[in-house]
Structure formats: structure tokens, C-alpha cells
Amino acid sequence: MAKVPSAVVAAGGLVGGYGVARWTRKRQLGGAVLAVAEAAAAQQWRQQAGGKAAGALTAAYVAAFAGSHPLAKKVGAWPAVFGVAGAVALASWAVADRRGA
């Protein structure tokens, strides 16, 4: 079975978490999606690039989530979410996915 790249998991968690929160109007559900995706991505990051890299990418994921809020006030919610998701995906690919498992 093909493994989903951690870049896709992380970006999907940010986009999916926002989408679930927005469409269900339950922020907790969106937060759950965000957290589950981060945990799955972090496990892959640890396996592919080690603990320090996983910690740095986890910090980037959390910073992207937090940073999307003020960014949304400037560019809109969806553009902000897609922007930070793209940044996290790029970082994840550069640090972990391009090396392979």
C-alpha cells in the first residue's frame, strides 16, 4: 500500500481542519482534524528525518496554524489557510519527504 507523503498529511490537516470547523461550525471538530493530522505527520517526520527535524516541523505546523489567523484578516480565510498549508507542505517535503522512508 502506498504511503501518503507527510507533506500531504500536514497540509491536508491544516486545510481539512479549517474546512471542518467552518462547515460544521464546531471549532473542536476542526481542532481534532488538525491534531490527528499533525500526530500522523510527526510520526512520519520522526521516522524519515529524526526527532529534531520532527520537533522543528511540528513547531512550524503550530506556527502556521497560529499565523493563519492574523493573515486571514489581510488576505481572507481560505487564501491564508492555503498559503500556510503550502508553506508547511514545502518545509515537510524539503526536510523529510524528499529523503524517503
PDB file of all heavy atoms in Angstrom, residues 7-50:
ATOM      1  N   ALA A   7       4.059  15.646   3.717  1.00  0.00           N
ATOM      2  CA  ALA A   7       3.689  16.983   3.245  1.00  0.00           C
ATOM      3  C   ALA A   7       2.195  17.055   2.960  1.00  0.00           C
ATOM      4  O   ALA A   7       1.531  18.045   3.294  1.00  0.00           O
ATOM      5  CB  ALA A   7       4.486  17.345   1.997  1.00  0.00           C
ATOM      6  N   VAL A   8       1.652  16.011   2.382  1.00  0.00           N
ATOM      7  CA  VAL A   8       0.218  15.965   2.070  1.00  0.00           C
ATOM      8  C   VAL A   8      -0.597  15.837   3.351  1.00  0.00           C
ATOM      9  O   VAL A   8      -1.634  16.486   3.507  1.00  0.00           O
ATOM     10  CB  VAL A   8      -0.087  14.806   1.094  1.00  0.00           C
ATOM     11  CG1 VAL A   8      -1.577  14.646   0.878  1.00  0.00           C
ATOM     12  CG2 VAL A   8       0.638  15.027  -0.225  1.00  0.00           C
ATOM     13  N   VAL A   9      -0.126  15.024   4.276  1.00  0.00           N
ATOM     14  CA  VAL A   9      -0.830  14.852   5.549  1.00  0.00           C
ATOM     15  C   VAL A   9      -0.887  16.176   6.309  1.00  0.00           C
ATOM     16  O   VAL A   9      -1.950  16.587   6.796  1.00  0.00           O
ATOM     17  CB  VAL A   9      -0.152  13.758   6.417  1.00  0.00           C
ATOM     18  CG1 VAL A   9      -0.796  13.680   7.794  1.00  0.00           C
ATOM     19  CG2 VAL A   9      -0.217  12.410   5.716  1.00  0.00           C
ATOM     20  N   ALA A  10       0.246  16.858   6.411  1.00  0.00           N
ATOM     21  CA  ALA A  10       0.308  18.118   7.157  1.00  0.00           C
ATOM     22  C   ALA A  10      -0.552  19.196   6.509  1.00  0.00           C
ATOM     23  O   ALA A  10      -1.352  19.860   7.183  1.00  0.00           O
ATOM     24  CB  ALA A  10       1.759  18.579   7.284  1.00  0.00           C
ATOM     25  N   ALA A  11      -0.403  19.376   5.206  1.00  0.00           N
ATOM     26  CA  ALA A  11      -1.203  20.393   4.509  1.00  0.00           C
ATOM     27  C   ALA A  11      -2.685  20.038   4.570  1.00  0.00           C
ATOM     28  O   ALA A  11      -3.535  20.910   4.790  1.00  0.00           O
ATOM     29  CB  ALA A  11      -0.747  20.520   3.062  1.00  0.00           C
ATOM     30  N   GLY A  12      -2.989  18.764   4.412  1.00  0.00           N
ATOM     31  CA  GLY A  12      -4.380  18.316   4.498  1.00  0.00           C
ATOM     32  C   GLY A  12      -4.979  18.553   5.872  1.00  0.00           C
ATOM     33  O   GLY A  12      -6.171  18.851   5.996  1.00  0.00           O
ATOM     34  N   GLY A  13      -4.164  18.438   6.908  1.00  0.00           N
ATOM     35  CA  GLY A  13      -4.649  18.699   8.259  1.00  0.00           C
ATOM     36  C   GLY A  13      -5.012  20.154   8.463  1.00  0.00           C
ATOM     37  O   GLY A  13      -6.026  20.479   9.096  1.00  0.00           O
ATOM     38  N   LEU A  14      -4.193  21.047   7.920  1.00  0.00           N
ATOM     39  CA  LEU A  14      -4.481  22.480   8.050  1.00  0.00           C
ATOM     40  C   LEU A  14      -5.723  22.865   7.246  1.00  0.00           C
ATOM     41  O   LEU A  14      -6.628  23.527   7.765  1.00  0.00           O
ATOM     42  CB  LEU A  14      -3.274  23.298   7.604  1.00  0.00           C
ATOM     43  CG  LEU A  14      -2.087  23.252   8.571  1.00  0.00           C
ATOM     44  CD1 LEU A  14      -0.808  23.713   7.883  1.00  0.00           C
ATOM     45  CD2 LEU A  14      -2.364  24.097   9.796  1.00  0.00           C
ATOM     46  N   VAL A  15      -5.792  22.420   6.012  1.00  0.00           N
ATOM     47  CA  VAL A  15      -6.943  22.738   5.164  1.00  0.00           C
ATOM     48  C   VAL A  15      -8.197  22.020   5.676  1.00  0.00           C
ATOM     49  O   VAL A  15      -9.262  22.626   5.811  1.00  0.00           O
ATOM     50  CB  VAL A  15      -6.658  22.378   3.688  1.00  0.00           C
ATOM     51  CG1 VAL A  15      -7.901  22.541   2.834  1.00  0.00           C
ATOM     52  CG2 VAL A  15      -5.520  23.226   3.142  1.00  0.00           C
ATOM     53  N   GLY A  16      -8.046  20.745   5.971  1.00  0.00           N
ATOM     54  CA  GLY A  16      -9.190  19.972   6.449  1.00  0.00           C
ATOM     55  C   GLY A  16      -9.702  20.440   7.794  1.00  0.00           C
ATOM     56  O   GLY A  16     -10.908  20.487   8.028  1.00  0.00           O
ATOM     57  N   GLY A  17      -8.786  20.788   8.682  1.00  0.00           N
ATOM     58  CA  GLY A  17      -9.203  21.284   9.991  1.00  0.00           C
ATOM     59  C   GLY A  17     -10.010  22.554   9.875  1.00  0.00           C
ATOM     60  O   GLY A  17     -11.061  22.708  10.514  1.00  0.00           O
ATOM     61  N   TYR A  18      -9.546  23.481   9.032  1.00  0.00           N
ATOM     62  CA  TYR A  18     -10.298  24.714   8.836  1.00  0.00           C
ATOM     63  C   TYR A  18     -11.648  24.423   8.183  1.00  0.00           C
ATOM     64  O   TYR A  18     -12.683  24.937   8.598  1.00  0.00           O
ATOM     65  CB  TYR A  18      -9.517  25.726   7.992  1.00  0.00           C
ATOM     66  CG  TYR A  18     -10.360  26.943   7.693  1.00  0.00           C
ATOM     67  CD1 TYR A  18     -10.706  27.826   8.705  1.00  0.00           C
ATOM     68  CD2 TYR A  18     -10.850  27.176   6.415  1.00  0.00           C
ATOM     69  CE1 TYR A  18     -11.519  28.922   8.442  1.00  0.00           C
ATOM     70  CE2 TYR A  18     -11.656  28.270   6.156  1.00  0.00           C
ATOM     71  CZ  TYR A  18     -11.991  29.142   7.171  1.00  0.00           C
ATOM     72  OH  TYR A  18     -12.808  30.220   6.919  1.00  0.00           O
ATOM     73  N   GLY A  19     -11.643  23.580   7.158  1.00  0.00           N
ATOM     74  CA  GLY A  19     -12.889  23.254   6.463  1.00  0.00           C
ATOM     75  C   GLY A  19     -13.914  22.625   7.381  1.00  0.00           C
ATOM     76  O   GLY A  19     -15.089  23.018   7.384  1.00  0.00           O
ATOM     77  N   VAL A  20     -13.489  21.681   8.192  1.00  0.00           N
ATOM     78  CA  VAL A  20     -14.412  21.024   9.128  1.00  0.00           C
ATOM     79  C   VAL A  20     -14.952  22.035  10.132  1.00  0.00           C
ATOM     80  O   VAL A  20     -16.160  22.070  10.412  1.00  0.00           O
ATOM     81  CB  VAL A  20     -13.717  19.836   9.836  1.00  0.00           C
ATOM     82  CG1 VAL A  20     -14.523  19.348  11.027  1.00  0.00           C
ATOM     83  CG2 VAL A  20     -13.488  18.701   8.845  1.00  0.00           C
ATOM     84  N   ALA A  21     -14.077  22.873  10.674  1.00  0.00           N
ATOM     85  CA  ALA A  21     -14.523  23.873  11.646  1.00  0.00           C
ATOM     86  C   ALA A  21     -15.520  24.845  11.015  1.00  0.00           C
ATOM     87  O   ALA A  21     -16.536  25.195  11.634  1.00  0.00           O
ATOM     88  CB  ALA A  21     -13.327  24.635  12.212  1.00  0.00           C
ATOM     89  N   ARG A  22     -15.230  25.254   9.811  1.00  0.00           N
ATOM     90  CA  ARG A  22     -16.107  26.222   9.146  1.00  0.00           C
ATOM     91  C   ARG A  22     -17.454  25.616   8.781  1.00  0.00           C
ATOM     92  O   ARG A  22     -18.498  26.216   9.008  1.00  0.00           O
ATOM     93  CB  ARG A  22     -15.418  26.757   7.899  1.00  0.00           C
ATOM     94  CG  ARG A  22     -16.257  27.778   7.188  1.00  0.00           C
ATOM     95  CD  ARG A  22     -15.494  28.453   6.098  1.00  0.00           C
ATOM     96  NE  ARG A  22     -16.381  29.376   5.407  1.00  0.00           N
ATOM     97  CZ  ARG A  22     -15.997  30.510   4.896  1.00  0.00           C
ATOM     98  NH1 ARG A  22     -14.748  30.884   4.999  1.00  0.00           N
ATOM     99  NH2 ARG A  22     -16.848  31.283   4.277  1.00  0.00           N
ATOM    100  N   TRP A  23     -17.433  24.417   8.187  1.00  0.00           N
ATOM    101  CA  TRP A  23     -18.683  23.845   7.690  1.00  0.00           C
ATOM    102  C   TRP A  23     -19.556  23.240   8.777  1.00  0.00           C
ATOM    103  O   TRP A  23     -20.770  23.187   8.637  1.00  0.00           O
ATOM    104  CB  TRP A  23     -18.398  22.855   6.578  1.00  0.00           C
ATOM    105  CG  TRP A  23     -17.915  23.561   5.345  1.00  0.00           C
ATOM    106  CD1 TRP A  23     -18.431  24.703   4.802  1.00  0.00           C
ATOM    107  CD2 TRP A  23     -16.811  23.209   4.524  1.00  0.00           C
ATOM    108  NE1 TRP A  23     -17.710  25.072   3.698  1.00  0.00           N
ATOM    109  CE2 TRP A  23     -16.701  24.166   3.492  1.00  0.00           C
ATOM    110  CE3 TRP A  23     -15.889  22.168   4.552  1.00  0.00           C
ATOM    111  CZ2 TRP A  23     -15.738  24.125   2.505  1.00  0.00           C
ATOM    112  CZ3 TRP A  23     -14.921  22.124   3.569  1.00  0.00           C
ATOM    113  CH2 TRP A  23     -14.852  23.096   2.558  1.00  0.00           C
ATOM    114  N   THR A  24     -18.948  22.765   9.858  1.00  0.00           N
ATOM    115  CA  THR A  24     -19.755  22.213  10.950  1.00  0.00           C
ATOM    116  C   THR A  24     -20.070  23.262  12.013  1.00  0.00           C
ATOM    117  O   THR A  24     -20.923  23.044  12.857  1.00  0.00           O
ATOM    118  CB  THR A  24     -19.041  21.041  11.648  1.00  0.00           C
ATOM    119  OG1 THR A  24     -17.866  21.520  12.287  1.00  0.00           O
ATOM    120  CG2 THR A  24     -18.736  19.916  10.679  1.00  0.00           C
ATOM    121  N   ARG A  25     -19.331  24.376  11.975  1.00  0.00           N
ATOM    122  CA  ARG A  25     -19.429  25.432  12.988  1.00  0.00           C
ATOM    123  C   ARG A  25     -19.062  24.913  14.377  1.00  0.00           C
ATOM    124  O   ARG A  25     -19.532  25.405  15.391  1.00  0.00           O
ATOM    125  CB  ARG A  25     -20.805  26.075  12.992  1.00  0.00           C
ATOM    126  CG  ARG A  25     -21.085  26.750  11.676  1.00  0.00           C
ATOM    127  CD  ARG A  25     -22.410  27.396  11.626  1.00  0.00           C
ATOM    128  NE  ARG A  25     -22.600  27.881  10.264  1.00  0.00           N
ATOM    129  CZ  ARG A  25     -23.217  28.988   9.977  1.00  0.00           C
ATOM    130  NH1 ARG A  25     -23.724  29.717  10.927  1.00  0.00           N
ATOM    131  NH2 ARG A  25     -23.346  29.359   8.736  1.00  0.00           N
ATOM    132  N   LYS A  26     -18.214  23.900  14.383  1.00  0.00           N
ATOM    133  CA  LYS A  26     -17.712  23.321  15.635  1.00  0.00           C
ATOM    134  C   LYS A  26     -16.191  23.356  15.579  1.00  0.00           C
ATOM    135  O   LYS A  26     -15.567  22.506  14.944  1.00  0.00           O
ATOM    136  CB  LYS A  26     -18.231  21.907  15.824  1.00  0.00           C
ATOM    137  CG  LYS A  26     -19.746  21.862  15.925  1.00  0.00           C
ATOM    138  CD  LYS A  26     -20.217  20.559  16.471  1.00  0.00           C
ATOM    139  CE  LYS A  26     -21.712  20.438  16.449  1.00  0.00           C
ATOM    140  NZ  LYS A  26     -22.428  21.304  17.302  1.00  0.00           N
ATOM    141  N   ARG A  27     -15.624  24.361  16.240  1.00  0.00           N
ATOM    142  CA  ARG A  27     -14.178  24.538  16.210  1.00  0.00           C
ATOM    143  C   ARG A  27     -13.440  23.328  16.783  1.00  0.00           C
ATOM    144  O   ARG A  27     -12.343  23.003  16.352  1.00  0.00           O
ATOM    145  CB  ARG A  27     -13.799  25.798  16.984  1.00  0.00           C
ATOM    146  CG  ARG A  27     -14.326  27.054  16.315  1.00  0.00           C
ATOM    147  CD  ARG A  27     -14.029  28.274  17.107  1.00  0.00           C
ATOM    148  NE  ARG A  27     -12.620  28.619  16.922  1.00  0.00           N
ATOM    149  CZ  ARG A  27     -12.025  29.603  17.543  1.00  0.00           C
ATOM    150  NH1 ARG A  27     -12.681  30.356  18.392  1.00  0.00           N
ATOM    151  NH2 ARG A  27     -10.762  29.852  17.329  1.00  0.00           N
ATOM    152  N   GLN A  28     -14.066  22.657  17.748  1.00  0.00           N
ATOM    153  CA  GLN A  28     -13.427  21.496  18.360  1.00  0.00           C
ATOM    154  C   GLN A  28     -13.214  20.377  17.344  1.00  0.00           C
ATOM    155  O   GLN A  28     -12.198  19.678  17.391  1.00  0.00           O
ATOM    156  CB  GLN A  28     -14.256  20.966  19.543  1.00  0.00           C
ATOM    157  CG  GLN A  28     -14.437  21.960  20.658  1.00  0.00           C
ATOM    158  CD  GLN A  28     -15.619  22.904  20.459  1.00  0.00           C
ATOM    159  OE1 GLN A  28     -16.234  22.967  19.396  1.00  0.00           O
ATOM    160  NE2 GLN A  28     -15.931  23.677  21.490  1.00  0.00           N
ATOM    161  N   LEU A  29     -14.170  20.192  16.444  1.00  0.00           N
ATOM    162  CA  LEU A  29     -14.005  19.158  15.412  1.00  0.00           C
ATOM    163  C   LEU A  29     -12.862  19.519  14.470  1.00  0.00           C
ATOM    164  O   LEU A  29     -12.064  18.661  14.087  1.00  0.00           O
ATOM    165  CB  LEU A  29     -15.294  18.974  14.617  1.00  0.00           C
ATOM    166  CG  LEU A  29     -16.440  18.273  15.327  1.00  0.00           C
ATOM    167  CD1 LEU A  29     -17.669  18.226  14.430  1.00  0.00           C
ATOM    168  CD2 LEU A  29     -16.039  16.869  15.736  1.00  0.00           C
ATOM    169  N   GLY A  30     -12.787  20.773  14.100  1.00  0.00           N
ATOM    170  CA  GLY A  30     -11.680  21.223  13.268  1.00  0.00           C
ATOM    171  C   GLY A  30     -10.353  21.041  13.972  1.00  0.00           C
ATOM    172  O   GLY A  30      -9.363  20.623  13.363  1.00  0.00           O
ATOM    173  N   GLY A  31     -10.332  21.343  15.261  1.00  0.00           N
ATOM    174  CA  GLY A  31      -9.119  21.143  16.050  1.00  0.00           C
ATOM    175  C   GLY A  31      -8.716  19.687  16.130  1.00  0.00           C
ATOM    176  O   GLY A  31      -7.522  19.356  16.117  1.00  0.00           O
ATOM    177  N   ALA A  32      -9.706  18.801  16.197  1.00  0.00           N
ATOM    178  CA  ALA A  32      -9.412  17.365  16.236  1.00  0.00           C
ATOM    179  C   ALA A  32      -8.771  16.916  14.926  1.00  0.00           C
ATOM    180  O   ALA A  32      -7.794  16.168  14.930  1.00  0.00           O
ATOM    181  CB  ALA A  32     -10.684  16.570  16.512  1.00  0.00           C
ATOM    182  N   VAL A  33      -9.305  17.388  13.798  1.00  0.00           N
ATOM    183  CA  VAL A  33      -8.720  17.052  12.491  1.00  0.00           C
ATOM    184  C   VAL A  33      -7.287  17.565  12.431  1.00  0.00           C
ATOM    185  O   VAL A  33      -6.368  16.848  12.020  1.00  0.00           O
ATOM    186  CB  VAL A  33      -9.568  17.644  11.344  1.00  0.00           C
ATOM    187  CG1 VAL A  33      -8.849  17.526  10.009  1.00  0.00           C
ATOM    188  CG2 VAL A  33     -10.928  16.973  11.292  1.00  0.00           C
ATOM    189  N   LEU A  34      -7.094  18.795  12.857  1.00  0.00           N
ATOM    190  CA  LEU A  34      -5.765  19.411  12.873  1.00  0.00           C
ATOM    191  C   LEU A  34      -4.782  18.577  13.709  1.00  0.00           C
ATOM    192  O   LEU A  34      -3.673  18.299  13.281  1.00  0.00           O
ATOM    193  CB  LEU A  34      -5.905  20.818  13.455  1.00  0.00           C
ATOM    194  CG  LEU A  34      -4.733  21.753  13.365  1.00  0.00           C
ATOM    195  CD1 LEU A  34      -4.635  22.321  11.957  1.00  0.00           C
ATOM    196  CD2 LEU A  34      -4.900  22.876  14.363  1.00  0.00           C
ATOM    197  N   ALA A  35      -5.214  18.168  14.893  1.00  0.00           N
ATOM    198  CA  ALA A  35      -4.344  17.430  15.806  1.00  0.00           C
ATOM    199  C   ALA A  35      -4.018  16.021  15.298  1.00  0.00           C
ATOM    200  O   ALA A  35      -2.874  15.567  15.399  1.00  0.00           O
ATOM    201  CB  ALA A  35      -4.987  17.348  17.189  1.00  0.00           C
ATOM    202  N   VAL A  36      -5.011  15.337  14.757  1.00  0.00           N
ATOM    203  CA  VAL A  36      -4.783  13.976  14.254  1.00  0.00           C
ATOM    204  C   VAL A  36      -3.805  14.002  13.076  1.00  0.00           C
ATOM    205  O   VAL A  36      -2.891  13.176  12.994  1.00  0.00           O
ATOM    206  CB  VAL A  36      -6.114  13.301  13.872  1.00  0.00           C
ATOM    207  CG1 VAL A  36      -5.890  12.033  13.072  1.00  0.00           C
ATOM    208  CG2 VAL A  36      -6.934  13.006  15.123  1.00  0.00           C
ATOM    209  N   ALA A  37      -3.992  14.968  12.183  1.00  0.00           N
ATOM    210  CA  ALA A  37      -3.079  15.075  11.044  1.00  0.00           C
ATOM    211  C   ALA A  37      -1.671  15.414  11.501  1.00  0.00           C
ATOM    212  O   ALA A  37      -0.691  14.867  10.975  1.00  0.00           O
ATOM    213  CB  ALA A  37      -3.594  16.132  10.060  1.00  0.00           C
ATOM    214  N   GLU A  38      -1.545  16.296  12.473  1.00  0.00           N
ATOM    215  CA  GLU A  38      -0.217  16.660  12.974  1.00  0.00           C
ATOM    216  C   GLU A  38       0.460  15.454  13.599  1.00  0.00           C
ATOM    217  O   GLU A  38       1.645  15.222  13.381  1.00  0.00           O
ATOM    218  CB  GLU A  38      -0.318  17.805  13.983  1.00  0.00           C
ATOM    219  CG  GLU A  38       1.018  18.421  14.331  1.00  0.00           C
ATOM    220  CD  GLU A  38       1.883  17.571  15.234  1.00  0.00           C
ATOM    221  OE1 GLU A  38       1.335  16.911  16.137  1.00  0.00           O
ATOM    222  OE2 GLU A  38       3.108  17.561  15.040  1.00  0.00           O
ATOM    223  N   ALA A  39      -0.275  14.679  14.381  1.00  0.00           N
ATOM    224  CA  ALA A  39       0.308  13.495  15.015  1.00  0.00           C
ATOM    225  C   ALA A  39       0.783  12.485  13.964  1.00  0.00           C
ATOM    226  O   ALA A  39       1.869  11.907  14.094  1.00  0.00           O
ATOM    227  CB  ALA A  39      -0.704  12.849  15.960  1.00  0.00           C
ATOM    228  N   ALA A  40      -0.012  12.296  12.934  1.00  0.00           N
ATOM    229  CA  ALA A  40       0.374  11.367  11.869  1.00  0.00           C
ATOM    230  C   ALA A  40       1.603  11.883  11.116  1.00  0.00           C
ATOM    231  O   ALA A  40       2.529  11.119  10.826  1.00  0.00           O
ATOM    232  CB  ALA A  40      -0.795  11.163  10.903  1.00  0.00           C
ATOM    233  N   ALA A  41       1.602  13.177  10.807  1.00  0.00           N
ATOM    234  CA  ALA A  41       2.749  13.751  10.103  1.00  0.00           C
ATOM    235  C   ALA A  41       4.000  13.691  10.976  1.00  0.00           C
ATOM    236  O   ALA A  41       5.084  13.363  10.494  1.00  0.00           O
ATOM    237  CB  ALA A  41       2.454  15.191   9.689  1.00  0.00           C
ATOM    238  N   ALA A  42       3.854  14.006  12.263  1.00  0.00           N
ATOM    239  CA  ALA A  42       5.005  13.997  13.174  1.00  0.00           C
ATOM    240  C   ALA A  42       5.633  12.612  13.275  1.00  0.00           C
ATOM    241  O   ALA A  42       6.855  12.483  13.349  1.00  0.00           O
ATOM    242  CB  ALA A  42       4.595  14.499  14.558  1.00  0.00           C
ATOM    243  N   GLN A  43       4.804  11.597  13.263  1.00  0.00           N
ATOM    244  CA  GLN A  43       5.333  10.229  13.298  1.00  0.00           C
ATOM    245  C   GLN A  43       6.170   9.961  12.050  1.00  0.00           C
ATOM    246  O   GLN A  43       7.268   9.402  12.138  1.00  0.00           O
ATOM    247  CB  GLN A  43       4.195   9.221  13.400  1.00  0.00           C
ATOM    248  CG  GLN A  43       4.677   7.794  13.485  1.00  0.00           C
ATOM    249  CD  GLN A  43       3.540   6.817  13.639  1.00  0.00           C
ATOM    250  OE1 GLN A  43       2.375   7.156  13.516  1.00  0.00           O
ATOM    251  NE2 GLN A  43       3.884   5.575  13.906  1.00  0.00           N
ATOM    252  N   GLN A  44       5.691  10.373  10.899  1.00  0.00           N
ATOM    253  CA  GLN A  44       6.458  10.206   9.662  1.00  0.00           C
ATOM    254  C   GLN A  44       7.730  11.049   9.697  1.00  0.00           C
ATOM    255  O   GLN A  44       8.784  10.590   9.267  1.00  0.00           O
ATOM    256  CB  GLN A  44       5.613  10.599   8.451  1.00  0.00           C
ATOM    257  CG  GLN A  44       4.553   9.589   8.106  1.00  0.00           C
ATOM    258  CD  GLN A  44       3.808  10.002   6.864  1.00  0.00           C
ATOM    259  OE1 GLN A  44       2.907  10.809   6.910  1.00  0.00           O
ATOM    260  NE2 GLN A  44       4.208   9.447   5.735  1.00  0.00           N
ATOM    261  N   TRP A  45       7.636  12.285  10.190  1.00  0.00           N
ATOM    262  CA  TRP A  45       8.808  13.153  10.264  1.00  0.00           C
ATOM    263  C   TRP A  45       9.897  12.524  11.114  1.00  0.00           C
ATOM    264  O   TRP A  45      11.059  12.541  10.760  1.00  0.00           O
ATOM    265  CB  TRP A  45       8.435  14.526  10.815  1.00  0.00           C
ATOM    266  CG  TRP A  45       7.544  15.329   9.924  1.00  0.00           C
ATOM    267  CD1 TRP A  45       7.480  15.275   8.565  1.00  0.00           C
ATOM    268  CD2 TRP A  45       6.592  16.305  10.333  1.00  0.00           C
ATOM    269  NE1 TRP A  45       6.532  16.163   8.110  1.00  0.00           N
ATOM    270  CE2 TRP A  45       5.980  16.813   9.163  1.00  0.00           C
ATOM    271  CE3 TRP A  45       6.190  16.811  11.569  1.00  0.00           C
ATOM    272  CZ2 TRP A  45       4.991  17.803   9.202  1.00  0.00           C
ATOM    273  CZ3 TRP A  45       5.207  17.789  11.607  1.00  0.00           C
ATOM    274  CH2 TRP A  45       4.622  18.278  10.431  1.00  0.00           C
ATOM    275  N   ARG A  46       9.491  11.940  12.251  1.00  0.00           N
ATOM    276  CA  ARG A  46      10.452  11.284  13.145  1.00  0.00           C
ATOM    277  C   ARG A  46      11.125  10.112  12.432  1.00  0.00           C
ATOM    278  O   ARG A  46      12.336   9.929  12.523  1.00  0.00           O
ATOM    279  CB  ARG A  46       9.746  10.787  14.406  1.00  0.00           C
ATOM    280  CG  ARG A  46      10.156  11.484  15.662  1.00  0.00           C
ATOM    281  CD  ARG A  46       9.565  10.894  16.930  1.00  0.00           C
ATOM    282  NE  ARG A  46       8.179  10.456  16.877  1.00  0.00           N
ATOM    283  CZ  ARG A  46       7.121  11.251  16.977  1.00  0.00           C
ATOM    284  NH1 ARG A  46       7.282  12.538  17.127  1.00  0.00           N
ATOM    285  NH2 ARG A  46       5.915  10.776  16.933  1.00  0.00           N
ATOM    286  N   GLN A  47      10.352   9.310  11.736  1.00  0.00           N
ATOM    287  CA  GLN A  47      10.896   8.139  11.043  1.00  0.00           C
ATOM    288  C   GLN A  47      11.816   8.542   9.894  1.00  0.00           C
ATOM    289  O   GLN A  47      12.833   7.900   9.650  1.00  0.00           O
ATOM    290  CB  GLN A  47       9.762   7.266  10.502  1.00  0.00           C
ATOM    291  CG  GLN A  47       8.960   6.576  11.565  1.00  0.00           C
ATOM    292  CD  GLN A  47       7.715   5.892  11.002  1.00  0.00           C
ATOM    293  OE1 GLN A  47       7.357   6.077   9.847  1.00  0.00           O
ATOM    294  NE2 GLN A  47       7.049   5.110  11.838  1.00  0.00           N
ATOM    295  N   GLN A  48      11.460   9.592   9.187  1.00  0.00           N
ATOM    296  CA  GLN A  48      12.192   9.962   7.982  1.00  0.00           C
ATOM    297  C   GLN A  48      13.370  10.889   8.245  1.00  0.00           C
ATOM    298  O   GLN A  48      14.358  10.840   7.518  1.00  0.00           O
ATOM    299  CB  GLN A  48      11.244  10.623   6.977  1.00  0.00           C
ATOM    300  CG  GLN A  48      10.206   9.670   6.440  1.00  0.00           C
ATOM    301  CD  GLN A  48       9.151  10.371   5.589  1.00  0.00           C
ATOM    302  OE1 GLN A  48       8.917  11.565   5.713  1.00  0.00           O
ATOM    303  NE2 GLN A  48       8.507   9.603   4.735  1.00  0.00           N
ATOM    304  N   ALA A  49      13.249  11.757   9.242  1.00  0.00           N
ATOM    305  CA  ALA A  49      14.282  12.782   9.413  1.00  0.00           C
ATOM    306  C   ALA A  49      14.806  12.916  10.835  1.00  0.00           C
ATOM    307  O   ALA A  49      15.699  13.718  11.074  1.00  0.00           O
ATOM    308  CB  ALA A  49      13.733  14.137   8.940  1.00  0.00           C
ATOM    309  N   GLY A  50      14.247  12.178  11.779  1.00  0.00           N
ATOM    310  CA  GLY A  50      14.733  12.229  13.152  1.00  0.00           C
ATOM    311  C   GLY A  50      13.930  13.155  14.055  1.00  0.00           C
ATOM    312  O   GLY A  50      13.082  13.920  13.605  1.00  0.00           O
TER     313      GLY A  50
END
